[in-house]
Amino acid sequence: VALALTIANHLVAAWTDRSVTAGGSITISANGSSDSSSSATASAAGAPADSSSSGAPSDSSSSGVTQQADAQRGFANGLSTQSGGSGDGGAASTPNAATSDGGVSVAAAIGINIAQTSSTSSLGGGVTLMASGPVALTTKADTDAAALANGSAVTASGGDAAIGVGVAINYARVTNQVRIRSPSITGNGLTVSATMSSQHEFGAYATSGASNADVGVAGSVAINIVNVTTTAIIPSGTTVNAGTGDISVAAASDSSTSTSALPAEAPGDGTVSGVTGAGSVGVGASVAVTIIDDTTTAGIEGTVIGGHDVTITATTTDLSRTDAKTGASAASVAVAPAVGIVLSNVTTHAYLSTGDAHVFTGNVTIGATQTASALTRTPRRCRRIVPIRRSPANVRPPDSRRLAGRRRP
């Protein structure tokens, strides 16, 4: 069994916990970039068959694959803490490797990536800022996180079983925010923004294949869990005196998510078939699950004094694609289900909240823009080879005219 586990806690923050007065401008900014991945490739023999009668793990609350990952995670965590490190840094629990039919008890390749990233610019409670020039609190974020598992297995011709199961799990939690707990900000204009350095990219890719054995089992399970929160708010309880300057509050999120559970390419011809050459039974199942929660918020809730042009914008681009494809061929029985599931929750808000009426000397713009897509594809390929015996007298040549007129479904 090949297991790759990555836990990334990448946090960047800029803040002040004391009041500041400046003859010029005041800028507090935090820019974060994170790249994490895990990649596991099985040996040629694939995974050993499960020795238990039921294939169920000892702890029914998690799958056998998850228990393997947790055991290695605990080992690494212990080594880190013994060396004076912070261990896994309180990262999220390992997502369970499971489908609606239960947990995955055995896999040839397991790739798990857990990423928690944060970009935060903040003002502490009770802090006041006073500047003759403009004041800016800004953040930028860019998180790329991916898990890959290739569980292809090939046994010697006529072997008992080939288990080529690949499980890829990617969990990413991204926080990009400006936090203001200050009662007063004074300057000639104010910028509050949580935006992007470049596009977030999230991926979970599982490949499976089993060949040559009497029984071939190939399963691809790809699970991609993404949570992105982008926030730029002047909160209630904060008074902003912008003088004659402009006020800009902006939040922007841009992400691309790809999840695939696919069969490996058959050797030699480049075709796709999860289970090939199985002597009696071929089982090739693919399950791809994508869960997305992406929320972008920009707003003014506090009290505003002065200000020329006022702009409040929230922009979200969230594109996701999920593919589950499978194939199986066997002499007697071939089973090849393909399941693709997407839950995409994308929300974008831009607002000026309730409060006393205010007159700005310039233009006021409040806009929310959202571009979201959630695409799921489950093409199916399953081939069963069944011997058919017919006497020569009962064999009729095909009618070429009838075949020519037949329309494909």
Side-chain angles (χ1 to χ4, degrees):
V1 176
L3 188 150
L5 171 63
T6 299
I7 299 175
N9 295 305
H10 297 164
L11 314 176
V12 58
W15 73 93
T16 178
D17 284 331
R18 65 176 64 183
S19 298
V20 176
T21 300
S25 63
I26 297 175
T27 300
I28 300 174
S29 65
N31 299 330
S33 177
S34 171
D35 190 353
S36 63
S37 67
S38 64
S39 178
T41 301
S43 67
D50 197 316
S51 59
S52 67
S53 59
S54 64
S58 57
D59 180 5
S60 59
S61 64
S62 64
S63 70
V65 165
T66 305
Q67 288 188 19
Q68 291 181 58
D70 281 340
Q72 300 304 320
R73 175 176 178 171
F75 173 72
N77 185 69
L79 286 179
S80 175
T81 55
Q82 291 171 18
S83 303
S86 57
D88 64 11
S93 301
T94 306
N96 195 18
T99 69
S100 60
D101 292 326
V104 180
S105 62
V106 62
I110 305 165
I112 299 175
N113 188 64
I114 300 173
Q116 175 178 296
T117 70
S118 175
S119 300
T120 303
S121 177
S122 63
L123 297 179
V127 171
T128 61
L129 298 183
M130 296 186 65
S132 299
V135 176
L137 292 94
T138 66
T139 65
K140 290 186 177 181
D142 171 23
T143 298
D144 296 341
L148 302 89
N150 185 342
S152 302
V154 180
T155 67
S157 181
D160 290 336
I163 299 178
V165 177
V167 176
I169 300 175
N170 185 56
Y171 175 86
R173 177 176 290 273
V174 180
T175 302
N176 186 17
Q177 63 177 349
V178 175
R179 296 183 61 197
I180 298 175
R181 291 168 289 172
S182 169
S184 176
I185 300 175
T186 300
N188 190 33
L190 173 64
T191 298
V192 176
S193 68
T195 57
M196 303 291 302
S197 297
S198 63
Q199 185 183 60
H200 301 310
E201 296 181 358
F202 309 108
Y205 311 99
T207 304
S208 64
S211 64
N212 291 345
D214 290 335
V215 177
V217 179
S220 300
V221 178
I223 300 174
N224 212 350
I225 303 172
V226 176
N227 189 306
V228 180
T229 302
T230 307
T231 307
I233 295 177
I234 300 174
S236 175
T238 296
T239 298
V240 173
N241 188 337
T244 59
D246 297 333
I247 299 174
S248 174
V249 179
S253 175
D254 183 359
S255 65
S256 174
T257 303
S258 178
T259 309
S260 65
L262 303 174
E265 291 186 353
D269 60 6
T271 60
V272 174
S273 185
V275 181
T276 60
S280 56
V281 178
V283 179
S286 294
V287 178
V289 179
T290 302
I291 300 174
I292 298 173
D293 289 280
D294 191 348
T295 303
T296 305
T297 307
I300 297 178
E301 299 174 354
T303 301
V304 178
I305 300 172
H308 182 59
D309 290 342
V310 175
T311 304
I312 305 171
T313 59
T315 305
T316 306
T317 299
D318 191 300
L319 311 178
S320 71
R321 176 166 177 167
T322 301
D323 294 285
K325 184 177 182 180
T326 186
S329 65
S332 298
V333 179
V335 180
V339 177
I341 300 173
V342 176
L343 296 178
S344 176
N345 299 302
V346 183
T347 305
T348 307
H349 289 160
Y351 64 90
L352 178 62
S353 72
T354 58
D356 295 336
H358 183 73
V359 177
F360 297 101
T361 58
N363 301 315
V364 175
T365 301
I366 303 173
T369 303
Q370 179 171 294
T371 302
S373 67
L375 308 179
T376 308
R377 299 195 313 166
T378 57
R380 180 176 299 180
R381 180 184 186 274
C382 177
R383 181 165 60 92
R384 181 178 64 177
I385 304 171
V386 180
I388 299 176
R389 294 185 177 88
R390 290 181 178 176
S391 64
N394 291 331
V395 176
R396 295 182 179 180
D399 187 337
S400 60
R401 291 174 298 177
R402 180 173 58 85
L403 292 178
R406 180 183 298 174
R407 298 181 60 186
R408 292 184 178 270

